[in-house]
Amino acid sequence: MCGVIGFSGVTPCVTSIFNGLKRLEYRGYDSSGIAVMADQRISVVKSKGKLNQLEPLLASLPADACVGMGHTRWATHGAPSTENAHPHSDEGISIIHNGILENYKELKIKLLEEGVSFLSETDSEVVVHLLRAELRLVHDVRKALLNVIGKLEGAYALGVMTQHEPGVIYVVKNASPIVLGIGHNENFFASDVLALLPHTNRFIFPEDGELARIVPDGVEVWDFFGKKLDKEIVSLNQEEARADKGGYRHYMLKEIHEQPAVLANTIERLVDLEAGEVRGELTGLCKLDLAAVRKIHIVACGTAFYAGLMGRYQIESFARLPVDCELASEFRYRNPCLDRSTLVIAVTQSGETADTLACIKHAKKAGCQTFALCNVLYSSVPRESDVTLYMEAGPEIGVASTKAFTSMVLNFFLMSLELARLRGVRSPEGMERALEALRILPNQVSSLMSLEARISELAGELFESGHCLFLGRGHFYPVALEGALKLKEISYIHAEGYAAGELKHGPIALIDKNMPVIAIINTCQDFEKTLSNLEEIHAREGQLIVVGQDKDRRLEDLCRYMIPCPVSPEPALQALLNVIPLQMFAYFMALHRGTDVDQPRNLAKSVTVE
Ligand code: AGP
């Protein structure tokens, strides 16, 4: 969940490291630090809080340092504080770490017994002391590091700098993401490609169990047994993504507004509207042995899981295959029945989510076919999967996922159509309706942007509420779940998403005049049934806000506020349209409450630990 970056070159690197950290700050932002080496001496600055707290300290670092590493933290062990911020250093050794060392307690106890004193409460600091002890014995940094690695259990991406080998950075990867960047007279490492794009588009992707030595004129890689590896250098034609806010007040708002373009691009790329066909080969589904598939498991976390729930409805209704959708953190420990007849689909914006990645590895071991729906090129989940469909939504920086979610939903929709074709169960009328819905979707999404003022006004009335309930049925149930997640993660208001049919089984007890209830209701699915749920809420004085179609007079009579959405001929795309006002609602509630929209407390964009 932390971001790591490092440079070994021949030109000053402090500013580049700091700028790289800014691009990685979405991974963690409770404290940060930089260590650089000049004249064979390591200098370190660290600070609690966001990177702007670190910035004033940079002037105290040697301006001519050409080798260094930076870290932005999401606390796992020990509170966010300057002491617990990385790098951790001692006697000419400095390390940064992303991951969790599961056996750090026993290692620490042993080191304490040997008289070592610790400066932080982190798990990571044990690496510094273990390495110092090893270096006294073997006087060779790489060998010493390999000996230390032999004692570590857990997940780690490590950057290591020592005065024993000035100019050299060692990088170790085990179950935490790391990429090596290849430049001219300078080489790099970072948690992701995005951080290094201003410097290079040539990368090496180390596997778990590998160690690299980075110097200005080269990069060498070994496995943990000391065997030298010949790693492929991959050139990515990825344009340097704009990491600024493009004039918007927040990344989240920018990303909400990018949705019409992202969805239009996806349709243009994956659908030949004139021919009336999905460009099937681009989905990658034809590369699977579909004849063998009897069942699909979708695995994901958070927002991606809700997109997966929507994918389940779509695949089952179009392609007539049984689909389960499960939280990755549950699936991986449940011992599900898996074999080659199971297709496991991992959905993930970042491609680095630890639980989702573990599911794909588990599924592969069990003999399943694996498919990734992902937004980040060359991230870990695609690299572990048999086939990947990249969403191409562009970088999503706001911690609250918006454009990635709608992009996942649209990609699932297109995948379902293609699966239906490949399985020979596609109906011509169904396809016609789907194409009609796709043709009008981008304009419909654009038109939703004009709801902003209305939704901001509603948030102005509700932002002091302590709770909020979201309800929906069928395709609109995951929309309710997603609306609730968005609200709680950025406004810190307690929110619950419920299937409307579950209301009477408990949550109706919560309804009184102080409970805002946001209902997602559309004529295309279970309208009358949801309407009677809304009657029940009205009868108990709940404050009803309706998101959906505004054509029915009965709704007007019941609700206090109506957020009208365009009508899609496809329930799945109707759900996609309905979620956008809920993203805006969460955004404006957060704005009114003065919370940190893009970097909400306790969260990080990429959850690389369990
Ligand atoms: C969504 O707003 C979240 N911040 C979070 O739930 C996220 O969707 C989840 O952590 C999964 O991330 P991934 O898509 O990168 O795997």
Side-chain angles (χ1 to χ4, degrees):
M1 315 260 291
C2 307
V4 296
I5 188 162
F7 286 65
S8 176
V10 292
T11 51
C13 64
V14 173
T15 310
S16 300
I17 294 174
F18 184 72
N19 289 339
L21 284 180
K22 280 201 210 150
R23 298 170 82 95
L24 290 167
E25 201 179 14
Y26 72 89
R27 304 179 81 94
Y29 36 79
D30 61 44
S31 53
S32 58
I34 291 178
V36 293
M37 174 135 21
D39 299 330
Q40 306 203 5
R41 271 180 50 98
I42 292 178
S43 314
V44 181
V45 289
K46 307 206 276 190
S47 165
K48 183 183 169 184
K50 295 195 177 176
L51 281 169
N52 53 11
Q53 311 272 99
L54 184 71
E55 197 165 12
L57 308 180
L58 300 183
S60 67
L61 292 172
D64 59 345
C66 302
V67 184
M69 319 183 294
H71 187 275
T72 175
R73 179 169 186 249
W74 184 88
T76 57
H77 298 71
S81 67
T82 304
E83 296 71 43
N84 290 334
H86 300 218
H88 296 287
S89 313
D90 195 23
E91 285 186 20
I93 299 169
S94 212
I95 70 109
I96 54 177
H97 169 219
N98 172 27
I100 289 182
L101 299 177
E102 285 165 5
N103 62 336
Y104 91 99
K105 267 211 176 117
E106 50 195 87
L107 294 170
K108 186 168 177 174
I109 290 168
K110 220 163 150 232
L111 287 161
L112 285 168
E113 283 167 2
E114 289 164 10
V116 173
S117 25
F118 279 76
L119 300 172
S120 77
E121 304 155 288
T122 63
D123 53 340
S124 317
E125 194 185 339
V126 295
V127 177
V128 182
H129 303 300
L130 290 172
L131 184 58
R132 192 191 47 198
E134 284 297 333
L135 274 171
R136 284 188 190 138
L137 300 173
V138 295
H139 309 291
D140 175 309
V141 182
R142 186 169 65 89
K143 282 190 187 144
L145 199 48
L146 284 171
N147 291 348
V148 171
I149 289 164
K151 297 179 182 162
L152 303 180
E153 286 168 20
Y156 45 91
L158 290 168
V160 178
M161 238 167 45
T162 71
Q163 286 171 4
H164 300 73
E165 278 193 81
V168 179
I169 300 179
Y170 285 93
V171 173
V172 184
K173 173 171 164 43
N174 194 48
S176 287
I178 220 66
V179 53
L180 309 176
I182 309 300
H184 300 290
N185 289 328
E186 54 180 357
N187 293 300
F188 327 93
F189 74 91
S191 296
D192 66 30
V193 162
L194 194 62
L196 296 178
L197 280 179
H199 303 279
T200 186
N201 66 351
R202 299 172 70 227
F203 299 97
I204 291 174
F205 294 94
E207 301 294 333
D208 289 342
E210 293 181 0
L211 170 144
R213 183 177 187 270
I214 304 177
V215 291
D217 58 3
V219 170
E220 293 171 286
V221 183
W222 294 267
D223 68 16
F224 283 0
F225 303 103
K227 183 178 160 222
K228 184 107 185 269
L229 303 170
D230 194 11
K231 299 291 287 186
E232 182 194 0
I233 297 179
V234 179
S235 294
L236 294 187
N237 288 331
Q238 203 177 15
E239 273 182 40
E240 200 197 312
R242 281 187 64 175
D244 61 41
K245 293 184 191 142
Y248 288 94
R249 188 163 165 192
H250 293 101
Y251 284 112
M252 182 182 178
L253 191 61
K254 176 185 169 216
E255 287 155 7
I256 287 174
H257 280 264
E258 281 173 348
Q259 290 176 109
V262 167
L263 300 171
N265 289 343
T266 305
I267 294 172
E268 198 178 313
R269 190 165 51 91
L270 293 183
V271 188
D272 184 341
L273 284 172
E274 255 174 52
E277 285 296 342
V278 174
R279 294 191 175 95
E281 70 290 355
L282 298 185
T283 65
L285 289 166
C286 49
K287 295 182 195 148
L288 298 166
D289 177 11
L290 283 176
V293 174
R294 296 278 165 274
K295 173 159 196 162
I296 295 178
H297 277 287
I298 299 173
V299 289
C301 302
T303 281
F305 170 66
Y306 300 146
L309 285 178
M310 292 167 82
R312 175 174 73 173
Y313 292 149
Q314 296 168 15
I315 295 173
E316 287 198 333
S317 77
F318 280 110
R320 307 304 301 149
L321 254 177
V323 183
D324 255 355
C325 178
E326 194 165 355
L327 289 166
S329 53
E330 291 295 318
F331 180 88
R332 66 182 289 194
Y333 294 114
R334 190 169 58 82
N335 195 14
C337 304
L338 303 171
D339 58 25
R340 177 133 188 102
S341 68
T342 318
L343 169 63
V344 174
I345 301 181
V347 196
T348 167
Q349 188 286 131
S350 63
E352 300 294 353
T353 302
D355 285 319
T356 311
L357 180 60
C359 288
I360 280 292
K361 288 182 177 170
H362 178 71
K364 261 173 81 175
K365 258 199 204 141
C368 304
Q369 300 186 64
T370 53
F371 185 96
L373 177 57
C374 184
N375 195 34
V376 179
L377 282 184
Y378 268 92
S379 51
S380 302
V381 171
R383 280 189 283 134
E384 290 290 338
S385 304
D386 295 332
V387 181
T388 298
L389 172 55
Y390 284 108
M391 288 148 50
E392 298 192 18
E396 191 179 64
I397 309 288
V399 164
S401 185
T402 51
K403 62 174 179 173
F405 176 76
T406 48
S407 173
M408 285 168 187
V409 175
L410 178 59
N411 275 284
F412 261 125
F413 185 72
L414 302 177
M415 283 161 61
S416 320
L417 296 176
E418 176 60 5
L419 275 173
R421 186 186 71 81
L422 291 168
R423 286 173 48 77
V425 295
R426 194 175 80 178
S427 84
E429 313 79 61
M431 188 61 188
E432 210 28 69
R433 200 180 55 237
L435 289 166
E436 170 55 16
L438 288 167
R439 275 189 197 101
I440 57 177
L441 184 74
N443 283 339
Q444 291 183 315
V445 178
S446 293
S447 75
L448 283 168
M449 300 301 142
S450 64
L451 287 174
E452 223 170 73
R454 194 176 164 81
I455 294 174
S456 167
E457 182 189 303
L458 172 66
E461 285 179 36
L462 293 179
F463 75 96
E464 284 171 326
S465 310
H467 307 271
C468 196
L469 199 59
F470 290 74
L471 296 177
R473 275 176 190 264
H475 287 276
F476 312 114
Y477 167 46
V479 176
L481 294 169
E482 171 62 2
L485 177 64
K486 281 295 86 93
L487 186 64
K488 64 187 135 193
E489 75 178 327
I490 60 168
S491 75
Y492 315 150
I493 292 173
H494 171 233
E496 299 251 19
Y498 257 97
E502 276 290 294
L503 193 65
K504 289 195 211 53
H505 299 284
I508 199 163
L510 296 169
I511 306 294
D512 63 16
K513 62 180 179 345
N514 299 316
M515 175 60 93
V517 180
I518 302 195
I520 300 99
I521 175 167
N522 299 278
T523 45
C524 58
Q525 192 178 24
D526 302 325
F527 182 81
E528 297 297 333
K529 289 198 190 318
T530 311
L531 192 68
S532 44
N533 296 134
L534 303 195
E535 296 276 8
E536 291 153 11
I537 291 163
H538 184 64
R540 287 159 183 83
E541 296 184 57
Q543 304 179 51
L544 251 183
I545 295 113
V546 164
V547 173
Q549 295 164 16
D550 61 348
K551 294 281 172 294
D552 198 295
R553 281 292 309 275
R554 290 172 295 173
L555 276 179
E556 260 175 52
D557 297 341
L558 288 178
C559 72
R560 171 171 159 207
Y561 221 92
M562 170 67 102
I563 301 176
C565 293
V567 178
S568 172
E570 272 299 340
L573 299 185
Q574 185 67 60
L576 182 157
L577 291 166
N578 292 159
V579 90
I580 293 169
L582 302 185
Q583 299 169 345
M584 291 179 180
F585 178 66
Y587 174 78
F588 286 109
M589 291 288 270
L591 215 57
H592 281 291
R593 289 168 68 90
T595 53
D596 190 335
V597 171
D598 283 331
Q599 295 181 330
R601 68 183 181 200
N602 305 339
L603 293 174
K605 184 72 182 162
S606 172
V607 183
T608 54
V609 293
E610 289 193 48

